[in-house]
Amino acid sequence: MNKNISPVEMKRIKVSMELAEAIKNVLMKRNITRTQFAKMMGQDKKVISVWLSGTYNFNLGTLYEIVDRLGLM
């Protein structure tokens, strides 16, 4: 663990990685490819790759769109 990273930042990183993993799991269970997901979201595949890398700092609007487009709520 890097001592220069605050506990709050470590938590944010952990949550971002967990969100990315959860999205990947939904896509896999529904047999949705990254290309299909990109089209669903109106995004380039490169953006989807960043989202699914676990390093993206999701904002509420992006999370809402993902949940809505995947029909999770």
Side-chain angles (χ1 to χ4, degrees):
M1 180 168 122
N2 187 334
K3 293 183 181 185
N4 295 327
I5 298 176
S6 72
V8 171
E9 181 63 11
M10 286 299 294
K11 179 74 172 179
R12 188 202 64 75
I13 292 168
K14 182 178 184 281
V15 169
S16 291
M17 294 178 82
E18 289 171 350
L19 285 168
E21 193 63 31
I23 294 166
K24 286 190 272 189
N25 287 338
V26 170
L27 297 177
M28 187 172 47
K29 286 178 184 175
R30 295 183 180 183
N31 294 316
I32 299 171
T33 66
R34 289 181 183 216
T35 300
Q36 291 168 323
F37 184 52
K39 288 180 184 177
M40 288 171 67
M41 297 303 300
Q43 297 287 343
D44 189 88
K45 275 180 46 177
K46 291 178 185 178
V47 172
I48 300 304
S49 290
V50 172
W51 288 1
L52 300 181
S53 72
T55 61
Y56 184 74
N57 187 11
F58 288 100
N59 64 49
L60 188 56
T62 302
L63 288 173
Y64 173 79
E65 286 185 44
I66 292 168
V67 167
D68 184 56
R69 303 258 168 79
L70 291 174
L72 297 173
M73 287 187 83

